Amino acid sequence: MAFSIHSSGDPTADRRADYAQMLAEAGDPAAAADLMRQALERAPAWAAGWFRLAEFASVAGLAAEAEGAWRTVLRLDAADRFGAELKLAQAGLAPLPDAAPAAFVAGLFDQYADRFDTALVETLAYRAPEAIFTALGELGHPAMRFAEALDLGCGTGLMGERLRKSVSHLAGIDLSAGMLAKAGAKGVYDRLSAGDVAVAEPGESGRYDLVTAVDVLIYLGDLAPVFRRVRQALTADGLFAFTVEAHGGPETFVLRDSLRFAHSRAGLEALAEREGFTVRVCRETVLRQDRGEDVEGFVVVLAPAPAETLPTLLPAFADATLLATPPALDEAPRSSLH
């Protein structure tokens, strides 16, 4: 995966790391790992350097060394900004987590913010916002008008741009300060907040009649916390529209080599029923391209189930971590990753 290597603070170690990267790109990961070890002898507390060593060692077939290096990353960086926990799980060396580390996701998109729109739309043929908008239109919502909407994981505002003319009041929430800055510059949101997608704060009128989550739930395996919070935040006739990457196996969700999660249709439908939703749309679509290949996914639209059909829900809504209101954008601390 691509990541910023961050300076070790030792110029010699940095040079060796640069040479190691060149060797890896030239097809010699074993030599790259050897040079990276030398760099880390000079900078043993350099978490990004240990992550890079793990990547080189893994490609070179040095599984034990890769595991040790990933575990060192976790020891040095408890927030796991590089996704070492995901790499261990991917290699079968740790349990599959319920979600990608928040610091990993925020850092990834902070680095990507400046080129996000161009890369997605022009290079990766990004189609998810249009797929959601089309699915909403097919449901016959009156004049496609929504009084209040929340865009979870709003990113730079690609979904917000598509929704703006159909929504009277549009709020967005995202982990990445860089993405929020880009979204704010577009002027399509009435309110932007920094926070986790499981924290769907109340709308201006108390509840939303539309919540969207476009290409954000791919960083979550267990979707139950988000489903529960959105179910509480929606009006009785509201809609929850989102995309996920698709997989056809028996597992509810899997972790892919891309470090993104993919979900099964059966798992999504079962979870929706458990959390008090009716499935209005669940169909396969191509979300975008990745390395020249189509990324298959589901576009899903859920509606709150009628009260008489609701299952007995756990009292999760009293959980303070779900009900906490994230800071407003101008109060949120800037990321310290860069």
Side-chain angles (χ1 to χ4, degrees):
M1 62 172 291
F3 59 92
S4 173
I5 194 168
H6 306 300
S7 173
S8 67
D10 182 310
T12 300
D14 288 350
R15 284 195 297 273
R16 288 176 180 172
D18 290 341
Y19 293 146
Q21 181 64 34
M22 292 171 60
L23 287 169
E25 292 173 355
D28 195 347
D34 183 60
L35 199 52
M36 201 67 220
R37 290 185 209 106
Q38 297 176 40
L40 290 166
E41 288 175 0
R42 299 185 63 92
W46 187 19
W50 283 102
F51 189 88
R52 181 152 289 195
L53 172 60
E55 296 290 89
F56 298 155
S58 178
V59 175
L62 305 172
E65 182 173 21
E67 177 183 1
W70 281 320
R71 295 196 185 281
T72 300
V73 173
L74 289 174
R75 179 175 57 79
L76 294 171
D77 179 18
D80 195 11
R81 292 171 293 176
F82 299 97
E85 180 186 18
L86 295 174
K87 299 296 290 190
L88 287 166
Q90 191 180 70
L93 300 169
L96 186 64
D98 289 337
F104 165 74
V105 177
L108 179 68
F109 284 99
D110 277 345
Q111 293 182 62
Y112 201 24
D114 286 340
R115 62 186 189 281
F116 186 79
D117 287 10
T118 300
L120 274 182
V121 177
E122 297 181 12
T123 305
L124 303 182
Y126 187 49
R127 307 166 194 173
E130 188 61 34
I132 281 188
F133 196 78
T134 299
L136 290 172
E138 291 171 358
L139 293 177
H141 193 283
M144 272 293 284
R145 292 296 308 174
F146 299 92
E148 197 157 359
L150 173 64
D151 189 13
L152 295 175
C154 62
T156 61
L158 291 174
M159 189 72 231
E161 289 178 305
R162 195 68 184 86
L163 287 174
R164 179 67 270 182
K165 292 182 180 179
S166 300
V167 177
S168 298
H169 188 277
L170 180 60
I173 185 170
D174 201 280
L175 277 173
S176 166
M179 290 292 197
L180 286 169
K182 292 293 183 182
K186 291 181 178 179
V188 297
Y189 292 92
D190 298 293
R191 180 182 179 186
L192 286 168
S193 299
D196 190 274
V197 296
V199 186
E201 74 227 54
E204 295 292 306
S205 61
R207 291 176 182 258
Y208 299 98
D209 53 354
L210 175 65
V211 175
T212 59
V214 187
D215 260 14
V216 61
L217 301 186
I218 58 177
Y219 295 100
L220 301 176
D222 181 10
L223 299 180
V226 174
F227 274 41
R228 289 173 189 169
R229 193 63 184 100
V230 170
R231 176 66 180 82
Q232 186 193 31
L234 280 174
T235 60
D237 59 352
L239 297 173
F240 178 29
F242 61 90
T243 59
V244 291
E245 293 188 11
H247 89 93
E251 304 92 343
T252 300
F253 61 86
V254 297
L255 180 64
R256 289 187 159 160
D257 291 344
S258 61
L259 301 187
R260 298 189 295 261
F261 291 92
H263 294 78
S264 69
R265 181 192 296 270
L268 290 168
E269 293 176 344
L271 179 61
E273 182 178 1
R274 284 199 306 274
E275 300 301 336
F277 286 103
T278 296
V279 178
R280 300 292 302 277
V281 175
C282 184
R283 65 167 176 253
E284 291 189 38
T285 189
V286 175
L287 300 175
R288 63 186 175 282
Q289 291 196 321
D290 189 2
R291 297 177 179 86
E293 300 289 333
D294 287 344
V295 176
E296 299 287 343
F298 295 112
V299 57
V300 183
V301 183
L302 307 180
E308 62 272 16
T309 67
L310 285 178
T312 300
L313 299 178
L314 295 174
F317 305 139
D319 186 339
T321 62
L322 293 181
L323 294 179
T325 301
L329 179 57
D330 57 1
E331 299 170 353
R334 295 291 297 179
S335 170
S336 61
L337 300 186
H338 309 290

